[in-house]
Amino acid sequence: MLLRRLISFTIYLSGVVFSYTAKSTAILPSITKLSPYSFPLPVFDPEGPNDSVSCIIPFTKAGNLILIQAKVDNEEGNFILDTGAPYLILNITYFRNARLLPMTDGEQGGITGSVTKVERTLVDSFRMSALRFDKIEADLVNLGHLENSKGVRILGLLGTQLFRQCEMIIDYEKNLIYLHRIGRKESATYKSRQLNDTSVYRTIPITLKQDKILVYGEMAGKKLTFLVDSGAELSVLDSRLPNKIFENVSVTGRVVLSGAGTSRVEALQGDMRNLRIGNQFMETLPVLITNLEKMCFSYEECLDGMLGFDVLSLRKIGFNFVKREMYIWK
């Protein structure tokens, strides 16, 4: 009798955990999708929104996820830097006694179609190194599946809205984040010293839409819209794209995505070629192919894909959210 050993691994895609086994089965909890007007901008403290602050934040990694130490009120611990999330999301496991805000039209919608209402809370104080935010709203979500897959305590996700007034440079080799909160008087002029030599990096324009970072690319002559997602361990393509796009993808297997409910959907995994983002040509990248309809901003405006760890970690990468620029080191 032969004993067969199953090999499994897990990836995370902005609130979505895929747990792969030799049987090609994936677990897919819900994804956060909210009204674009649900959350006001956070209030900075102590000097106010015009004050500039610089800090260097060390980070660790759980798999390919960036973990940062931060503090919500009296609770301190690991938070995932997740630019695919729009704002602060807290693990309800550690905030069960948080006071809840009145319900709005916010909801969690999974790729497989399951939908549940989202609970919200008001955080009195949020601290991340030298940065402090007062009176900031946050989602309450169960992240137990993510903690179990990574074997680490996770208090929440740090979304893009927290950095809207910042320049952020992520150095994956040194495990450091260089963060500068840009004051109003320096909004047009501030630039990190790391950006002085323009020959070592490329500048790519970005768009912020509903607190998500969008970048525009091209493949097979078609313009594509991608979500830049530091919380995705794998890049994603929308399965609804035309056939000429998938002529540049070598399919290596199939997976079954299982949602928090009973719904399931089949997806493909493979390698993507010939993608250009701005003036940056991307080499072959691993990719997951699935329907991204639930990630649409409106009926006629949807994402074509998500750029995750394999793209962002190839080089040092930076963002200026005030100037709407992304920097990719050569």
Side-chain angles (χ1 to χ4, degrees):
M1 178 179 179
L2 296 176
L3 297 178
R4 183 175 60 179
R5 199 174 95 189
L6 295 181
I7 301 174
S8 64
F9 62 96
T10 302
I11 64 169
Y12 171 75
L13 299 173
S14 259
V16 181
V17 174
F18 298 86
S19 299
Y20 290 90
T21 71
K23 292 183 178 180
S24 295
T25 300
I27 299 173
L28 177 60
S30 52
I31 253 180
T32 300
K33 181 183 179 182
L34 289 163
S35 162
Y37 306 109
S38 296
F39 286 72
L41 291 177
V43 177
F44 296 105
D45 190 79
E47 285 80 19
N50 294 330
D51 180 59
S52 62
V53 174
S54 293
C55 55
I56 301 175
I57 304 175
F59 66 84
T60 57
K61 284 186 284 188
N64 292 331
L65 302 176
I66 293 176
L67 296 181
I68 295 175
Q69 290 290 305
K71 186 175 183 179
V72 171
D73 293 335
N74 296 320
E75 196 74 41
E76 187 172 8
N78 296 314
F79 287 79
I80 294 174
L81 176 64
D82 187 355
T83 61
Y87 28 70
L88 179 63
I89 297 175
L90 300 179
N91 189 347
I92 196 170
T93 300
Y94 307 108
F95 300 94
R96 296 190 184 278
N97 296 323
R99 61 183 183 276
L100 301 182
L101 296 175
M103 297 294 292
T104 65
D105 58 351
E107 62 182 22
Q108 286 180 297
I111 290 177
T112 58
S114 59
V115 174
T116 57
K117 286 292 183 181
V118 170
E119 292 182 327
R120 298 186 303 156
T121 187
L122 182 67
V123 172
D124 290 328
S125 174
F126 173 75
R127 291 182 177 87
M128 177 175 52
S129 187
L131 273 68
R132 173 173 167 170
F133 308 80
D134 285 342
K135 304 299 181 184
I136 178 173
E137 295 182 18
D139 272 1
L140 291 170
V141 176
N142 190 333
L143 298 178
H145 57 281
L146 183 55
E147 292 184 299
N148 292 338
S149 68
K150 298 303 178 185
V152 64
R153 185 173 181 259
I154 297 170
L155 296 191
L157 314 176
L158 305 179
T160 301
Q161 190 186 76
L162 296 170
F163 307 102
R164 282 181 68 103
Q165 285 185 237
C166 295
E167 179 192 82
M168 176 169 61
I169 296 175
I170 306 172
D171 190 328
Y172 282 91
E173 285 190 357
K174 296 181 179 179
N175 286 356
L176 293 175
I177 295 174
Y178 301 86
L179 193 62
H180 179 84
R181 190 178 73 203
I182 300 172
R184 184 173 300 174
K185 293 182 179 179
E186 61 181 5
S187 61
T189 59
Y190 178 79
K191 184 170 68 174
S192 168
R193 296 181 193 174
Q194 297 184 62
L195 297 171
N196 286 343
D197 184 358
T198 57
S199 66
V200 300
Y201 65 90
R202 292 184 173 91
T203 301
I204 298 172
I206 61 174
T207 298
L208 291 183
K209 188 175 183 64
Q210 297 180 18
D211 291 309
K212 296 180 185 294
I213 306 171
L214 303 183
V215 68
Y216 303 98
E218 184 177 329
M219 182 188 294
K222 179 176 173 56
K223 293 183 179 180
L224 302 173
T225 302
F226 287 91
L227 171 69
V228 180
D229 189 353
S230 66
E233 297 191 270
L234 196 66
S235 296
V236 181
L237 277 180
D238 189 351
S239 60
R240 299 172 299 159
L241 289 170
N243 289 337
K244 65 179 182 179
I245 295 296
F246 295 107
E247 292 174 359
N248 294 276
V249 178
S250 301
V251 175
T252 58
R254 294 177 181 268
V255 294
V256 176
L257 309 180
S258 301
T262 59
S263 57
R264 295 186 179 186
V265 64
E266 191 174 77
L268 301 175
Q269 56 184 1
D271 296 311
M272 173 173 60
R273 306 180 304 277
N274 302 323
L275 172 65
R276 184 178 296 276
I277 301 294
N279 54 5
Q280 176 73 42
F281 182 79
M282 302 293 177
E283 299 178 0
T284 301
L285 296 166
V287 67
L288 183 72
I289 304 167
T290 190
N291 191 315
L292 294 180
E293 182 180 3
K294 299 299 179 182
M295 299 285 285
C296 291
F297 295 104
S298 64
Y299 181 73
E300 295 182 344
E301 188 175 6
C302 295
L303 293 173
D304 296 312
M306 300 160 61
L307 300 180
F309 176 83
D310 292 287
V311 174
L312 305 183
S313 66
L314 290 175
R315 305 161 183 86
K316 187 162 59 174
I317 191 163
F319 303 91
N320 187 311
F321 296 103
V322 175
K323 293 183 179 178
R324 305 291 197 267
E325 293 178 340
M326 178 170 73
Y327 313 108
I328 299 180
W329 268 252
K330 299 176 183 179

